[in-house]
Amino acid sequence: MSNKKLSNSLANFKMEVNPHFLAKAEQLQPQLYHTEVPATTAIDYALSATQGDYVATAQRPFSASEPLSQGSKLVLDFKDHCVGQLHFKVRSVGSPADAPLHLRIKLGERLCELGIDSASYTGKISSSWIQEEFLHVDVMPATITLPRRYAWRYVEFTVLDTSPKYQVVIEEVAATTVSSAPTNASSSLTTEQLNQASQVSGLSTEAISALDRVAIKTLAECMQSVFEDGPKRDRRLWIGDLRLEALANYYTFKQNDLVARCLYLFAGAAQNEQRVGANLFIQPQVQVDDTYLFDYALFFVSCLHDYFVATGDEATLKELYATAKKQIDICARRLDDSGLVADSDDWWCFIDWQDDLNKQASAQAIFIYALRQTLVLSTHLGLAEDKQYYEKLLARCITAAQTKLFATELGFFVSGTDKQISYASQAWMVLAHVMPVEQSRQLLKRLEQERRAGNSSIVSMVTPYMYHHYVEALFVTGLTHEAWSLVQEYWGAMIADGADCFYELFDPRNKQFSPYGSPIINSYCHAWSCTPTYFIRKYALSCNAQ
Amino acid sequence: MSNKKLSNSLANFKMEVNPHFLAKAEQLQPQLYHTEVPATTAIDYALSATQGDYVATAQRPFSASEPLSQGSKLVLDFKDHCVGQLHFKVRSVGSPADAPLHLRIKLGERLCELGIDSASYTGKISSSWIQEEFLHVDVMPATITLPRRYAWRYVEFTVLDTSPKYQVVIEEVAATTVSSAPTNASSSLTTEQLNQASQVSGLSTEAISALDRVAIKTLAECMQSVFEDGPKRDRRLWIGDLRLEALANYYTFKQNDLVARCLYLFAGAAQNEQRVGANLFIQPQVQVDDTYLFDYALFFVSCLHDYFVATGDEATLKELYATAKKQIDICARRLDDSGLVADSDDWWCFIDWQDDLNKQASAQAIFIYALRQTLVLSTHLGLAEDKQYYEKLLARCITAAQTKLFATELGFFVSGTDKQISYASQAWMVLAHVMPVEQSRQLLKRLEQERRAGNSSIVSMVTPYMYHHYVEALFVTGLTHEAWSLVQEYWGAMIADGADCFYELFDPRNKQFSPYGSPIINSYCHAWSCTPTYFIRKYALSCNAQ
């Protein structure tokens, strides 16, 4: 997720540090795994008029380039998504190199990032995320390791200049990838599991296999010293992404210490009054961002809850319970006497990258969702007073949701003064168990009908993150056929589009969609899209998340 | 000098290595001196319509920039020419930096290099010499040292992007300069010397002081691990530049081991048949270029001769005499039976960056010039046979020059089949002592008359390198008034133009002149322009070059 809207920088923002928590986080630093990935395929590419996108038009084995002179290009396909450093060798041929080599290097997760002129980008978020470097090489032969970390599948070298006296050969191009997901952990499904998942889901074993593989790859690429949101952009610990990554992790890599580390980081570098910020910067030192979001603060509770459920780590629960409780208590200030979350039109709550979305109902539901999880934790810790207090609060909030946000005549939850109906509001109310499950099931059945009929008056979902919650809602109400269909319809369409990892943003009807102004700035490997593996293992294989 | 014409890449070129000579050169590696130079002045600049050049329009003290956002610029004036590495600190202000910083850094010896769009350059030699870098900074605060060596007085930072949430402050900008000219060596002239030089030359003490200071600065900036031609471009050991740098060095820094090192390098990494190449590359290992030039090969003799005269180092003379002799013998193959150098229209001989120049007469003169120096060396070494042989050859060549190249009716030497008259031919014939000194003096008097009358039929000089030889010719014929006038008229005009160092190229009537297609690619600190200090100390102060 990216900070495109800035209105929720916390007033009088300051960081409240808990050195003990930060020390704990430091102790939980993950091991980083590195792999050498040589580039062995060179390609040509072009804009396809029929596909409206850049596509490879030829490919050939690569070990060393032809001699390249001014204007020559070398485009390499690493054949899979890489996160890490790029290194290569370059030597001159012809007369001795009597001038520096001037190289441009573009790296792209997708070919559009190579094909579209970076200078044409005038979008909303920083152009500095575009992976394009200009490099002078004074002495050759040279072994060059670009100092930054990139996320890419494709690399394009353009020789901007040599001199008329020499050309260059580029060779031994390789990635040194980095991830804290263990490279030796075999997370892929067995044939037996594939068959079982296929049977349960109604999807083909090929579809299950691809969904699982790409989801795990997406997760692994985002697992660095923290759970990042995207390795290309923003490369940062956002709590919304963390929550979904952690869920997928419990079923796959089981790097539970990394989740604990992230929890300690959020609690250790909080905002005013120990608010959990929407995201953290890790370098050069831990720093909480000044963005505060209602839903994201509450997801600290969810993350802690899910972590405890998955690990039974009571020591961590005890240490971090107060921080979780604090988030509920601060968010509760937003409730009116009836227990209804106050709405506003700034960026107070994220939910989805959908400009038209009213967030009130979703926020109400997320508050209830987190409150239920708080109760699980306080019950486990035997905190009777908390339990009693939060039970009362929960009842009030549920009643408010039922009486003030459910439009009986329409059969849907509505949000805001305009009584907006959205997929987000329905999905979150279902996940919050505001109604008995059968009522939720009927509601989602009606909603699915509208969705398939293409009812455009219902505010749509635009991110895999929101799709995740909608699919999860379908699963928890037993609408498993609808859930699996949508997983295949949505995430499966990315695979059909050639995705190596799942994208940050995906609109099957408009593949060039970007809320930022250009597809070249989108992230094509994004943590919050990694949950198909979670769906498969939880709902098709009934794996235990431990 | 730059390899703009390539026709003289030696056929079947190969390098002939003498490991003993290269080991000697390695032992003579100079100490490098580093100085910290902070930038303390920020400026604005603009294109001046009246001056036709970029000029500073405002200046103010600098220690840290204002907060800079997308599109902001910071232009710093180091107030003097620097060679070395640039370092600075950058930190973010505002919200935490949620995207990398994207910076463009341009470094210029002159403001035109900042003001003119680098992308507009389409000139003859490599655009890779343009000192422009693009840099992403992922983590701030950061202390950044650009890895390359640059030559500059001005630095322009342009913030290409931050994000809407933060700005950056750039501070502690400084150079770590590098030179093998000792920083503690006080080479500046005393008041007494200035007065004496002023009296002898007829120039003001201010003029003498400025000419000497800028010349010494130029030399120091070019003194690196070898005598380079220019620290911005080509940063290489060219023998034409070496010869003049060595002459100036004997009167100033007296780093005579550095001259010896360069001689051993040229002899140790020769071309086919032990030809001395026009230039050497030092990194990653010593490599002779494939360019062979008649005059430059002969200047190995001159460099050895001048070194021996300045140092009396007989051991080096004995080791390198054979290489010197070899250059004469190979060049002698170009003589016809009468002793006349054969002409050709490729890039066989440099002389000057003057496209129209016919090189035959100059080459004939340089052969004679080098032959006389060979005789000095063979006489000193007591090599009677050599002495006898070269004396005969010398006589034949002088006769050929006098009879075939001197046009009695015109009173000038002519060159080539078109009997071209040039300043170059006359200067070199005078320096070669082809005629008695009084005749030479009369010839130059006539030539000076034509020059002052603006006779455009005489092929002009375009580089300080050629001006040096013309001025030297005036001095050796006793035309000291004319010589000093020209020094002030030509090098003094660069100082009036604001030069911190003397330029590679200078046409007082066309300050934007570049043989390469743009003034931004010219070198504004170039070794072959450093000789005013040599003129002052030799001809006005009668210093001893030891």
Side-chain angles (χ1 to χ4, degrees):
Chain A
M1 194 177 84
S2 196
N3 263 343
K4 77 165 174 169
K5 300 177 187 176
L6 312 172
S7 53
N8 211 41
S9 293
L10 196 67
N12 303 315
F13 164 72
K14 67 182 178 67
M15 179 158 72
E16 288 192 1
V17 169
N18 182 319
H20 169 66
F21 288 170
L22 292 186
K24 278 267 184 176
E26 187 58 30
Q27 285 165 20
L28 295 165
Q29 278 268 18
Q31 184 183 343
L32 294 177
Y33 300 88
H34 301 280
T35 308
E36 282 299 299
V37 180
T40 57
T41 305
I43 61 165
D44 300 327
Y45 71 90
L47 180 61
S48 157
T50 51
Q51 294 176 57
D53 201 359
Y54 289 83
V55 296
T57 53
Q59 71 169 47
R60 54 201 168 274
F62 169 78
S63 61
S65 73
E66 297 294 301
L68 306 170
S69 51
Q70 192 189 40
S72 301
K73 282 186 193 218
L74 168 67
V75 186
L76 299 178
D77 180 352
F78 277 72
K79 291 288 183 182
D80 203 354
H81 193 271
C82 297
V83 174
Q85 286 191 286
L86 179 75
H87 58 89
F88 59 96
K89 291 191 176 174
V90 59
R91 60 184 163 87
S92 65
V93 292
S95 291
D98 60 337
L101 164 64
H102 194 195
L103 265 185
R104 184 181 69 193
I105 304 175
K106 292 179 89 171
L107 302 99
E109 295 178 315
R110 289 178 57 79
L111 284 170
C112 66
E113 295 161 74
L114 310 187
I116 296 175
D117 180 10
S118 308
S120 71
Y121 174 74
T122 55
K124 289 181 189 175
I125 57 175
S126 181
S127 61
S128 62
W129 291 114
I130 298 168
Q131 301 180 132
E132 179 179 46
E133 307 289 358
F134 294 83
L135 191 70
H136 287 98
V137 184
D138 291 311
V139 176
M140 282 174 282
T143 299
I144 292 169
T145 300
L146 297 187
R148 304 176 71 212
R149 202 195 75 188
Y150 304 94
W152 80 95
R153 170 171 167 165
Y154 304 99
V155 175
E156 178 179 271
F157 296 89
T158 305
V159 173
L160 299 177
D161 219 338
T162 55
S163 91
K165 291 197 71 170
Y166 79 96
Q167 300 83 47
V168 291
V169 169
I170 294 173
E171 58 199 346
E172 295 181 42
V173 184
T176 305
T177 68
V178 60
S179 168
S180 57
T183 42
N184 55 357
S186 170
S187 301
S188 57
L189 297 172
T190 63
T191 309
E192 199 183 336
Q193 287 176 312
L194 284 173
N195 288 332
Q196 188 191 331
S198 171
Q199 220 164 0
V200 172
S201 66
L203 305 183
S204 69
T205 53
E206 292 74 19
I208 291 288
S209 173
L211 286 164
D212 193 66
R213 178 179 48 76
V214 174
I216 288 175
K217 176 75 175 169
T218 305
L219 176 60
E221 299 293 80
C222 295
M223 286 170 69
Q224 300 296 333
S225 87
V226 293
F227 283 99
E228 294 186 4
D229 60 337
K232 169 182 156 188
R233 205 214 78 234
D234 319 327
R235 308 168 52 160
R236 210 183 317 154
L237 176 54
W238 284 87
I239 204 161
D241 298 82
L242 167 63
R243 180 169 148 267
L244 302 193
E245 288 172 288
L247 287 175
N249 168 69
Y250 300 136
Y251 288 90
T252 53
F253 296 112
K254 304 183 197 303
Q255 296 295 293
N256 300 344
D257 279 357
L258 188 60
V259 183
R261 167 170 155 79
C262 294
L263 287 168
Y264 277 110
L265 285 169
F266 273 112
Q271 299 175 339
N272 314 33
E273 299 182 89
Q274 295 169 51
R275 286 163 195 260
V276 167
N279 67 83
L280 297 181
F281 300 87
I282 308 302
Q283 293 294 338
Q285 64 267 326
V286 179
Q287 167 70 50
V288 64
D289 190 24
D290 58 5
T291 302
Y292 176 79
L293 292 167
F294 181 89
D295 50 346
Y296 273 36
L298 292 171
F299 286 147
F300 182 83
V301 180
S302 303
C303 289
L304 182 60
H305 166 270
D306 298 345
Y307 172 77
F308 178 68
V309 169
T311 65
D313 176 358
E314 204 166 75
T316 296
L317 170 61
K318 280 182 178 161
E319 285 204 307
L320 298 180
Y321 176 77
T323 305
K325 183 168 143 68
K326 193 80 192 177
Q327 307 317 307
I328 292 286
D329 295 346
I330 290 172
C331 286
R333 296 180 197 160
R334 214 180 164 97
L335 303 177
D336 67 14
D337 290 345
S338 74
L340 187 71
V341 170
D343 194 17
S344 60
D345 56 8
D346 58 2
W347 200 47
W348 64 285
C349 186
F350 174 63
I351 310 298
D352 193 11
W353 266 149
Q354 168 52 283
D355 279 340
D356 300 331
L357 184 66
N358 181 282
K359 318 276 177 88
Q360 186 190 28
S362 302
Q364 179 81 20
I366 289 171
F367 187 77
I368 294 166
Y369 178 88
L371 206 46
R372 288 190 191 281
Q373 295 173 320
T374 309
L375 274 164
V376 171
L377 302 180
S378 53
T379 303
H380 183 88
L381 292 172
L383 301 168
E385 206 174 315
D386 279 9
K387 187 168 179 287
Q388 203 177 353
Y389 175 74
Y390 290 128
E391 273 172 352
K392 276 191 194 159
L393 183 58
L394 176 63
R396 199 160 83 241
C397 292
I398 290 175
T399 303
Q402 289 168 340
T403 58
K404 311 239 166 150
L405 297 177
F406 190 72
T408 317
E409 71 286 9
L410 302 168
F412 288 122
F413 286 92
V414 295
S415 184
T417 48
D418 293 344
K419 301 195 180 303
Q420 181 190 78
I421 302 174
S422 65
Y423 292 92
S425 300
Q426 317 313 314
W428 275 112
M429 284 294 183
V430 168
L431 292 172
H433 297 291
V434 168
M435 299 182 301
V437 70
E438 185 50 36
Q439 267 177 264
S440 289
R441 183 184 165 90
Q442 295 308 324
L443 180 148
L444 286 183
K445 270 194 160 176
R446 288 193 297 279
L447 189 60
E448 272 292 279
Q449 243 169 352
E450 300 296 334
R451 189 174 74 81
R452 295 195 179 282
N455 180 345
S456 65
S457 71
I458 301 175
V459 174
S460 68
M461 307 173 276
V462 300
T463 59
Y465 174 76
M466 190 58 233
Y467 271 88
H468 164 87
H469 295 109
Y470 186 69
V471 168
E472 180 95 302
L474 293 171
F475 275 123
V476 300
T477 54
L479 295 172
T480 53
H481 172 72
E482 288 80 353
W484 289 119
S485 295
L486 187 53
V487 168
Q488 176 60 8
E489 180 186 325
Y490 189 69
W491 281 269
M494 290 190 235
I495 291 170
D497 192 49
D500 301 303
C501 295
F502 289 125
Y503 309 162
E504 172 194 21
L505 301 146
F506 185 64
D507 181 346
R509 288 166 300 279
N510 174 16
K511 289 187 188 170
Q512 304 302 303
F513 167 71
S514 170
Y516 314 123
S518 168
I520 68 172
I521 209 85
N522 289 0
S523 162
Y524 293 100
C525 171
H526 222 69
W528 68 20
S529 312
C530 77
T531 53
T533 187
Y534 159 80
F535 295 137
I536 290 166
R537 284 150 199 257
K538 181 171 183 180
Y539 296 111
L541 299 174
S542 306
C543 294
N544 201 327
Q546 279 180 38
Chain B
M1 192 178 87
S2 197
N3 263 345
K4 76 166 175 167
K5 300 177 188 178
L6 312 171
S7 54
N8 212 42
S9 294
L10 196 67
N12 304 315
F13 163 72
K14 67 181 178 71
M15 179 158 75
E16 289 193 359
V17 170
N18 181 318
H20 167 68
F21 287 170
L22 292 186
K24 277 266 185 178
E26 187 59 30
Q27 286 164 19
L28 294 166
Q29 276 269 18
Q31 182 183 345
L32 294 177
Y33 299 88
H34 301 280
T35 308
E36 283 299 298
V37 180
T40 56
T41 305
I43 61 165
D44 301 326
Y45 71 91
L47 181 61
S48 158
T50 50
Q51 295 177 58
D53 201 359
Y54 289 82
V55 296
T57 53
Q59 71 169 47
R60 53 200 170 276
F62 169 79
S63 62
S65 73
E66 296 295 302
L68 306 169
S69 51
Q70 192 188 42
S72 302
K73 282 185 192 219
L74 167 67
V75 185
L76 299 177
D77 179 353
F78 277 73
K79 291 289 184 183
D80 203 355
H81 193 271
C82 297
V83 174
Q85 286 191 285
L86 179 74
H87 58 89
F88 59 95
K89 290 191 176 175
V90 60
R91 60 184 164 89
S92 64
V93 291
S95 291
D98 60 337
L101 163 66
H102 194 194
L103 266 184
R104 183 181 69 194
I105 303 174
K106 293 179 88 171
L107 302 100
E109 295 178 316
R110 289 178 55 81
L111 283 171
C112 65
E113 294 161 74
L114 309 187
I116 296 175
D117 180 10
S118 308
S120 70
Y121 175 74
T122 55
K124 290 181 190 175
I125 57 174
S126 180
S127 61
S128 62
W129 291 115
I130 298 168
Q131 300 180 131
E132 179 178 46
E133 307 290 357
F134 294 83
L135 190 69
H136 287 98
V137 184
D138 291 311
V139 176
M140 285 174 280
T143 300
I144 293 169
T145 301
L146 297 187
R148 305 176 70 212
R149 202 194 77 189
Y150 304 95
W152 79 94
R153 169 170 167 167
Y154 304 99
V155 176
E156 178 179 271
F157 295 90
T158 305
V159 173
L160 298 177
D161 218 339
T162 55
S163 90
K165 291 198 70 169
Y166 78 95
Q167 300 83 47
V168 291
V169 169
I170 294 173
E171 57 199 347
E172 295 182 42
V173 184
T176 305
T177 68
V178 59
S179 168
S180 57
T183 42
N184 55 358
S186 172
S187 301
S188 58
L189 297 172
T190 62
T191 310
E192 198 184 338
Q193 286 175 313
L194 285 173
N195 287 333
Q196 187 191 333
S198 171
Q199 220 164 1
V200 172
S201 66
L203 305 184
S204 70
T205 54
E206 291 75 18
I208 290 288
S209 173
L211 286 165
D212 193 65
R213 177 179 50 75
V214 174
I216 288 176
K217 175 78 176 166
T218 305
L219 175 61
E221 299 292 79
C222 296
M223 286 170 69
Q224 301 295 335
S225 85
V226 294
F227 283 100
E228 293 186 4
D229 59 337
K232 168 183 157 188
R233 207 214 76 237
D234 318 327
R235 307 167 53 161
R236 211 183 318 153
L237 176 55
W238 284 88
I239 205 161
D241 298 81
L242 167 63
R243 178 170 149 267
L244 301 194
E245 287 173 288
L247 287 176
N249 169 69
Y250 300 136
Y251 287 91
T252 53
F253 297 111
K254 303 183 197 303
Q255 296 296 293
N256 300 344
D257 279 358
L258 187 61
V259 183
R261 168 169 155 79
C262 294
L263 288 168
Y264 275 110
L265 284 170
F266 273 112
Q271 301 175 337
N272 315 29
E273 300 183 86
Q274 295 169 51
R275 287 163 194 260
V276 166
N279 67 84
L280 297 181
F281 301 86
I282 308 303
Q283 293 294 338
Q285 64 268 325
V286 179
Q287 167 69 51
V288 65
D289 190 24
D290 59 5
T291 302
Y292 176 81
L293 293 167
F294 181 89
D295 49 348
Y296 274 36
L298 291 171
F299 286 148
F300 183 84
V301 180
S302 301
C303 289
L304 183 60
H305 166 269
D306 297 344
Y307 172 77
F308 177 68
V309 168
T311 65
D313 175 358
E314 203 166 76
T316 297
L317 170 60
K318 280 182 178 160
E319 285 204 307
L320 297 181
Y321 175 77
T323 305
K325 181 169 144 67
K326 192 81 193 174
Q327 308 316 308
I328 292 285
D329 294 346
I330 290 171
C331 287
R333 296 181 198 160
R334 212 178 166 95
L335 303 176
D336 67 12
D337 290 345
S338 74
L340 187 69
V341 170
D343 194 15
S344 60
D345 56 8
D346 58 1
W347 201 47
W348 64 286
C349 185
F350 174 63
I351 309 296
D352 194 10
W353 267 147
Q354 166 55 280
D355 279 339
D356 301 331
L357 184 66
N358 181 282
K359 318 276 179 87
Q360 185 189 27
S362 301
Q364 180 81 19
I366 289 170
F367 186 79
I368 294 167
Y369 178 88
L371 206 45
R372 288 192 189 278
Q373 294 173 321
T374 310
L375 274 164
V376 172
L377 301 180
S378 54
T379 302
H380 182 88
L381 292 172
L383 300 168
E385 205 173 314
D386 279 7
K387 187 166 180 289
Q388 202 177 358
Y389 174 74
Y390 290 128
E391 273 173 350
K392 275 191 194 160
L393 184 57
L394 177 63
R396 199 159 83 240
C397 292
I398 290 174
T399 304
Q402 289 168 339
T403 57
K404 311 244 167 146
L405 296 176
F406 191 72
T408 316
E409 70 286 8
L410 302 168
F412 289 122
F413 285 92
V414 295
S415 184
T417 47
D418 292 344
K419 300 194 181 304
Q420 181 191 77
I421 302 175
S422 66
Y423 293 92
S425 300
Q426 316 314 313
W428 274 112
M429 284 294 184
V430 168
L431 292 172
H433 297 290
V434 169
M435 301 183 297
V437 70
E438 185 50 35
Q439 266 176 264
S440 289
R441 181 185 166 92
Q442 294 309 323
L443 180 149
L444 287 182
K445 270 193 159 176
R446 287 194 297 278
L447 189 59
E448 273 291 279
Q449 240 169 355
E450 299 297 334
R451 191 174 73 80
R452 296 195 179 281
N455 181 345
S456 63
S457 71
I458 301 175
V459 174
S460 68
M461 306 173 274
V462 299
T463 59
Y465 174 77
M466 191 56 233
Y467 272 88
H468 164 87
H469 295 111
Y470 185 69
V471 168
E472 180 95 304
L474 292 172
F475 276 123
V476 301
T477 54
L479 294 172
T480 54
H481 172 71
E482 289 80 355
W484 290 118
S485 295
L486 187 53
V487 167
Q488 177 59 8
E489 180 186 325
Y490 189 69
W491 281 267
M494 289 190 236
I495 291 170
D497 192 47
D500 302 303
C501 294
F502 289 125
Y503 309 162
E504 172 194 21
L505 302 146
F506 185 65
D507 181 346
R509 287 166 301 278
N510 174 16
K511 288 186 188 172
Q512 305 302 305
F513 167 71
S514 171
Y516 313 123
S518 169
I520 70 173
I521 209 85
N522 289 1
S523 162
Y524 293 99
C525 171
H526 222 70
W528 68 20
S529 311
C530 76
T531 52
T533 187
Y534 159 80
F535 294 138
I536 290 166
R537 284 151 199 258
K538 180 170 183 179
Y539 295 112
L541 299 174
S542 306
C543 293
N544 200 326
Q546 280 181 41

